[in-house]
């Protein structure tokens, strides 16, 4: 049985390097947003709050494509399908509903990577990514404006993390 692992965390918390035990396939939300926005600039990508339904639908389409075209044998079916980097509760709600309707046999898990601010800032400074057109403080603030802190509160209140 495939388990969908919703992986959350603040900027530079280690989402892109987190691997659960077993085989996994990763869908990175920022890649979906880059495709929809036709940009890699973090400042542009963090101005997509109004696109939550489009992002959720694109992610649901990716899930459908994996199930329809990739997960057709024991060798190609992973233990985990990781959805990495959702920033808005509305996107999560749409995907949870889609999975419950279309793939009721898939399990759902939630993981929040909690890394202290100093370590995240150190990682941000060390990576020297050309896509980082904002400072660490600005990027962190924009993530929260997108809804990340609200998402954390929602997940905690629902006892999912």
């Amino acid at each position: 049985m495939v388990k969908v692992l919703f992986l959350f965390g603040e900027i530079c918390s280690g989402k892109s390097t987190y691997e659960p035990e077993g085989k996994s396939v990763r869908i990175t939300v920022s890649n979906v947003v880059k495709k929809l926005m036709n940009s890699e600039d973090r400042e542009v990508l963090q101005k997509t709050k109004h696109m939550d339904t489009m992002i959720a639908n694109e992610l649901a389409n990716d899930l459908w494509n994996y199930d329809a075209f990739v997960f057709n044998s024991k060798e190609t079916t992973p233990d985990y399908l990781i959805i990495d980097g959702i920033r808005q509760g509305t996107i999560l709600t749409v995907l949870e509903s889609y999975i419950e309707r279309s793939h009721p046999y898939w399990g759902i898990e939630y993981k929040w990577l909690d890394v202290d601010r100093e370590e995240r800032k150190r990682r941000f400074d060390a990576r020297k990514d050309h896509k980082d057109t904002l400072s660490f403080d600005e990027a962190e603030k924009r993530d929260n404006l997108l809804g990340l802190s609200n998402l954390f509160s929602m997940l905690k209140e629902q006892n999912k993390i």
Side-chain angles (χ1 to χ4, degrees):
M1 171 176 77
V2 173
K3 291 181 195 142
V4 176
L5 173 61
F6 288 106
L7 185 60
F8 309 96
E10 294 176 289
I11 191 167
C12 293
S13 60
K15 295 179 299 298
S16 64
T17 59
Y18 179 84
E19 289 293 333
E21 276 191 40
K23 294 186 299 186
S24 63
V25 169
R26 181 178 302 263
I27 298 173
T28 305
V29 175
S30 62
N31 289 340
V32 170
V33 175
K34 287 173 193 172
K35 183 171 91 174
L36 291 172
M37 295 295 291
N38 197 27
S39 176
E40 289 196 2
D41 184 313
R42 188 172 307 281
E43 186 173 0
V44 171
L45 299 178
Q46 287 180 317
K47 293 180 181 176
T48 57
K49 190 170 188 168
H50 65 287
M51 296 178 64
D52 55 341
T53 302
M54 284 177 57
I55 294 166
N57 289 338
E58 190 70 25
L59 290 164
N61 189 53
D62 286 350
L63 292 174
W64 183 87
N65 281 319
Y66 270 108
D67 190 46
F69 300 111
V70 179
F71 304 161
N72 55 15
S73 72
K74 187 173 171 78
E75 292 76 34
T76 62
T77 302
D79 302 304
Y80 286 95
L81 203 161
I82 302 168
I83 300 179
D84 159 2
I86 292 175
R87 296 284 192 257
Q88 294 168 270
T90 51
I91 294 172
L92 178 63
T93 302
V94 167
L95 289 175
E96 288 169 325
S97 178
Y98 169 77
I99 292 166
E100 289 167 7
R101 269 191 338 272
S102 302
H103 306 288
Y105 47 91
W106 286 2
I108 298 177
E109 294 182 12
Y110 306 82
K111 182 149 187 82
W112 185 280
L113 300 179
D114 193 18
V115 176
D116 71 65
R117 189 172 196 282
E118 291 80 31
E119 176 61 17
R120 291 185 301 103
K121 183 169 181 353
R122 186 198 64 75
R123 292 175 183 178
F124 183 90
D125 293 340
R127 74 183 183 182
K128 296 181 183 357
D129 192 331
H130 73 279
K131 295 176 286 195
D132 290 332
T133 57
L134 300 172
S135 70
F136 174 78
D137 292 335
E138 291 168 324
E140 185 178 57
K141 183 178 179 182
R142 290 267 175 97
D143 275 354
N144 286 323
L145 288 173
L146 259 178
L148 187 60
S149 55
N150 294 339
L151 178 60
F152 177 79
S153 297
M154 179 184 96
L155 291 168
K156 197 165 181 136
E157 186 177 298
Q158 294 173 355
N159 296 310
K160 292 183 176 177
I161 56 168

